[in-house]
Amino acid sequence: MDRYPPIADHGLVGDLQTAALISSKGVVDWFAAPRFDSPSIFAALLDHDRGGHFRLAPVEHAPTCRQLYYPDSAVLVTRFMSEDGVGEVIDWMLPDNSKRASDRHTLIRAVRAVRGTVRFELDCRPRFDYGRADHQVTVDGQDAVFRAPGAALHLRALFPLHRSDRDVRGTVTLDAGQTSGVVMTSCGPDGEAPPPPTEARLTEQLWEAVDHWQTWVRQSNYRGRWPDAVHRSAITLKLLTYAPTGGLVAAPTMGLPEQVGGERNWDYRFTWVRDASLSVRALLDLGFTEEAEAFTGWLNERLRERLDLPGERLQIMYRIDGDPQLTEEILEHFEGYRGSAPVRAGNAAMDQLQLDIYGEALYALAEGRKSGVQPGYEGWQAAAKTLDWLADNWDRPDEGIWETRGGRKDFTFSRVMTWVAFDRGMRLAEEFSRPADIVRWRSTRDAVLKQIMERGWSEKERALVQHYDGDVLDASLLLIPRVGLLGPKDPAWLSTLDAMDRKLVSDSLVYRYDPAASPDGLRGSEGTFSLCTFLYVDALARAGRLRQARYAFEKMLTYANHVGLFAEEIGPSGEQLGNFPQAFTHLSLIMAASSLDDALDRATRR
């Protein structure tokens, strides 16, 4: 078994409260419970020796391994092929759409011999609390239980298990057509074991999971050119949503590096206002109004809870239940993915000032109105009071969208989204006849635009730039034509797009900015940013550059992993870097596909 498989060498399964990453070698390399943002139980991706893993795969080496999803589902099939036989491991979790948070989460791992005879081996090595907590293990025939402070892990198999020090192992030999498996349940320390599995029950639960996901995907109204990529992205966004609150995590993982061996290793298992707000538009593009409504409800709660308190009206991120405390700690005992230290749990960027989030929040509320997803009167009051506050507080330096740690600046993108906040607030107030200080909002909106065009424009680059004190380009500004600050064919915008082509685009892939030209307080470099590549496609499509847009989009799809998932970045050798899979990338894929489809359809009609 490779000590550290490529980040992209994984599929994702989940139950809408937590998720697991499973490699193409049949190894659960990451699993945290009972929630996405809980301490890990398996974290071999962050430390092969101390993190813990759960392997279920053939004993004999299989020279060829294939991993795929059952169509339009989150049921993951890992296939092992050798001259002696073909075996499969099928992994899934039972999705729970209820609003009740649970401490019980079940991963089902079925094994099957497709051809010949295949001997499978189970090797379960949990390491609770990021590998810091000791545990006890007991084994009784086909059952095992691991107990640690505050947590337990039950294994119930269809074959014998035995103890190996602190771990559990087992083997089962299957002939063609035979099936076996194991049910793993994480729960509280006094939680009961799951019912003993049977082959019939495993088969029944498998089809329940397939039917659940395929029924959900059938709600999609997407009829465009790239249904496989779009629906895989939609399923991924759904898997990254915490059903009890509607909060969307930026990624299910922590600590995976933006540069192998570097220090840009963050915990992404939280809900960013920015990312989740933009997901509303992506989900509504496909017709998933229930998910969009759930997040706007979460967002309105965040807006209401600070109305009478001093300071900022929103944090940039929260825990999935809305808790604002995300204290960052360094896990010194973890070596990090391929030596990429430090490994951070929590995220100190929670305290940063990023004024763009108010624009994304109002953008989400305004986009929701098109599908009937709309806050009630109390929700409107919270939004209106937030805009009144923003009118007094918008003109400040901040840390910007990329959470740089190099000091506050007058970031142009922050001003762009401030303009969006007032513009969308005015539209909502007028369309729904809601009480608002529209005169003041309009005056502030116009002042923001004037400042952007006067101070954010670089004559040297003939472009809008990252911040007011330099000439560095920034791909976040690719959102400008989508939000309407400038028209998609406005000369100033087309000049900015041309400048990005020259400075930020590498064979259709897009860097978010140049850290060397604009120091961000961190050592090292990074790859191209996949979100920005899809925003680039969106901007090209809106500008009418359809051949270029389609080339960039379809080329970017070739960088997806073997099951259609994307991390945060693409490295110099085409490898995926950063936390995986990343919601921002998948929501921007949906947005780009929708824009490009619309533009191509219009061109065809003409």
Side-chain angles (χ1 to χ4, degrees):
M1 182 176 68
D2 295 337
R3 284 182 60 83
Y4 291 102
I7 290 171
D9 189 35
H10 294 85
L12 179 75
V13 299
D15 65 359
L16 311 183
Q17 295 194 24
T18 187
L21 285 187
I22 302 169
S23 79
S24 65
K25 299 297 190 292
V27 182
V28 180
D29 278 325
W30 175 262
F31 177 69
R35 310 190 323 184
F36 292 106
D37 54 0
S38 298
S40 63
I41 296 175
F42 302 115
L45 270 178
L46 299 179
D47 194 298
H48 176 269
D49 297 324
R50 301 180 183 88
H53 69 260
F54 180 10
R55 180 176 180 268
L56 185 58
V59 174
E60 300 298 326
H61 170 70
T64 303
C65 302
R66 295 282 187 269
Q67 198 171 52
L68 61 145
Y69 279 113
Y70 199 90
D72 284 342
S73 83
V75 174
L76 188 67
V77 180
T78 307
R79 187 172 294 150
F80 302 86
M81 292 173 277
S82 69
E83 292 183 0
D84 296 326
V86 176
E88 290 181 343
V89 178
I90 307 172
D91 288 289
W92 72 96
M93 297 181 74
L94 300 176
D96 181 1
N97 273 313
S98 73
K99 302 300 182 184
R100 180 183 60 85
S102 174
D103 68 353
R104 291 182 66 84
H105 301 280
T106 297
L107 171 66
I108 301 175
R109 312 200 71 188
V111 291
R112 187 167 75 99
V114 177
R115 180 180 61 79
T117 299
V118 183
R119 186 177 181 222
F120 290 92
E121 179 181 51
L122 177 151
D123 180 13
C124 187
R125 304 184 182 190
R127 299 294 182 263
F128 296 88
D129 187 26
Y130 304 120
R132 296 179 297 195
D134 202 1
H135 66 264
Q136 298 177 333
V137 57
T138 57
V139 178
D140 182 9
Q142 298 179 169
D143 301 335
V145 59
F146 303 85
R147 297 192 186 278
L153 190 72
H154 293 270
L155 292 184
R156 305 204 78 169
L158 287 171
F159 50 89
L161 303 174
H162 65 270
R163 179 174 174 172
S164 175
D165 193 17
R166 294 191 296 163
D167 310 319
V168 168
R169 300 172 71 91
T171 58
V172 59
T173 301
L174 302 177
D175 294 324
Q178 291 184 320
T179 300
S180 188
V182 59
V183 175
M184 181 196 84
T185 299
S186 66
C187 57
D190 300 320
E192 295 181 357
T198 64
E199 184 177 335
R201 182 58 180 149
L202 288 181
T203 301
E204 181 183 354
Q205 289 176 314
L206 169 63
W207 291 114
E208 285 176 1
V210 170
D211 288 345
H212 170 92
W213 285 106
Q214 292 186 341
T215 299
W216 182 80
V217 169
R218 279 198 294 273
Q219 298 175 64
S220 170
N221 58 23
Y222 181 76
R223 300 295 181 269
R225 295 162 178 79
W226 302 281
D228 291 344
V230 168
H231 288 153
R232 179 53 53 200
S233 291
I235 291 170
T236 303
L237 292 181
K238 182 70 170 176
L239 282 171
L240 299 183
T241 300
Y242 184 64
T245 66
L248 176 82
V249 295
T253 57
M254 53 176 275
L256 296 181
E258 296 174 20
Q259 179 186 30
V260 174
E263 65 171 337
R264 299 166 185 260
N265 321 312
W266 315 112
D267 191 344
Y268 274 16
R269 301 171 301 151
F270 309 116
T271 299
W272 267 255
V273 169
R274 174 188 312 112
D275 305 31
S277 293
L278 291 175
S279 76
V280 170
R281 177 66 269 160
L283 292 167
L284 290 175
D285 280 344
L286 304 181
F288 294 114
T289 56
E290 181 180 335
E291 288 72 17
E293 187 171 8
F295 174 72
T296 55
W298 181 96
L299 179 61
N300 271 290
E301 287 183 28
R302 306 290 80 75
L303 288 170
R304 287 197 297 268
E305 65 194 7
R306 288 200 58 86
L307 281 182
D308 299 321
L309 298 176
E312 303 302 316
R313 291 299 180 264
L314 282 174
Q315 249 179 224
I316 68 169
M317 70 180 93
Y318 299 82
R319 290 193 178 276
I320 47 182
D321 59 0
D323 184 345
Q325 298 303 315
L326 291 80
T327 304
E328 184 173 294
E329 62 175 322
I330 304 297
L331 303 182
E332 301 281 2
H333 61 291
F334 273 0
E335 71 173 6
Y337 177 83
R338 297 186 179 177
S340 303
V343 175
R344 300 176 176 91
N347 200 309
M350 58 171 276
D351 290 329
Q352 286 195 355
L353 175 65
Q354 294 179 20
L355 292 167
D356 66 281
I357 61 174
Y358 298 101
E360 282 104 8
L362 267 294
Y363 181 81
L365 298 180
E367 292 298 300
R369 84 188 192 284
K370 299 175 183 176
S371 300
V373 177
Q374 197 60 40
Y377 181 70
E378 286 188 2
W380 169 254
Q381 284 188 310
K385 290 180 180 179
T386 298
L387 285 172
D388 291 339
W389 173 88
L390 188 60
D392 292 325
N393 290 275
W394 67 271
D395 195 11
R396 294 178 290 164
D398 67 354
E399 272 92 0
I401 177 176
W402 304 128
E403 289 159 25
T404 59
R405 302 193 179 189
R408 294 182 178 179
K409 296 181 175 66
D410 290 307
F411 283 100
T412 306
F413 181 76
S414 297
R415 300 299 195 270
V416 168
M417 296 311 293
T418 299
W419 180 91
V420 171
F422 291 111
D423 182 73
R424 297 314 195 269
M426 288 166 50
R427 294 188 196 184
L428 288 170
E430 291 171 345
E431 183 172 348
F432 294 98
S433 302
R434 294 291 184 254
D437 191 350
I438 290 181
V439 173
R440 188 180 186 212
W441 294 359
R442 179 177 288 111
S443 173
T444 307
R445 180 198 65 178
D446 295 347
V448 175
L449 178 59
K450 187 172 185 291
Q451 186 190 90
I452 290 169
M453 299 310 297
E454 290 179 355
R455 299 183 61 194
W457 180 262
S458 165
E459 282 297 328
K460 175 184 175 184
E461 296 294 345
R462 299 296 300 166
L464 290 166
V465 291
Q466 184 181 67
H467 57 79
Y468 294 168
D469 298 323
D471 298 305
V472 177
L473 298 172
D474 193 310
S476 63
L477 298 176
L478 287 163
L479 269 170
I480 282 176
R482 171 173 277 272
V483 300
L485 181 93
L486 296 175
K489 297 183 181 180
D490 183 292
W493 170 247
L494 292 179
S495 181
T496 299
L497 187 57
D498 290 339
M500 291 188 189
D501 274 329
R502 294 192 303 270
K503 293 291 186 73
L504 297 181
V505 179
S506 174
D507 192 26
S508 81
L509 301 180
V510 182
Y511 292 92
R512 52 183 178 173
Y513 60 93
D514 180 359
S518 179
D520 55 15
L522 297 165
R523 296 187 301 273
S525 61
E526 60 181 26
T528 57
F529 213 71
S530 298
L531 158 74
C532 297
T533 300
F534 286 122
L535 293 183
Y536 176 61
V537 171
D538 187 276
L540 289 172
R542 292 171 185 273
R545 300 176 180 181
L546 299 187
R547 183 174 296 174
Q548 190 180 359
R550 186 164 189 170
Y551 173 82
F553 185 76
E554 293 186 332
K555 182 155 191 173
M556 183 59 183
L557 294 183
T558 68
Y559 286 98
N561 83 337
H562 54 287
V563 290
L565 302 181
F566 286 93
E568 186 174 27
E569 300 181 9
I570 305 295
S573 301
E575 73 275 21
Q576 299 214 32
L577 296 172
N579 286 301
F580 177 86
Q582 199 207 29
F584 226 167
T585 303
H586 284 280
L587 71 88
S588 63
L589 184 156
I590 294 170
M591 291 163 59
S594 298
S595 294
L596 185 53
D597 272 318
D598 288 346
L600 290 169
D601 289 344
R602 288 194 302 272
T604 299
R605 288 194 294 270
R606 287 197 298 270

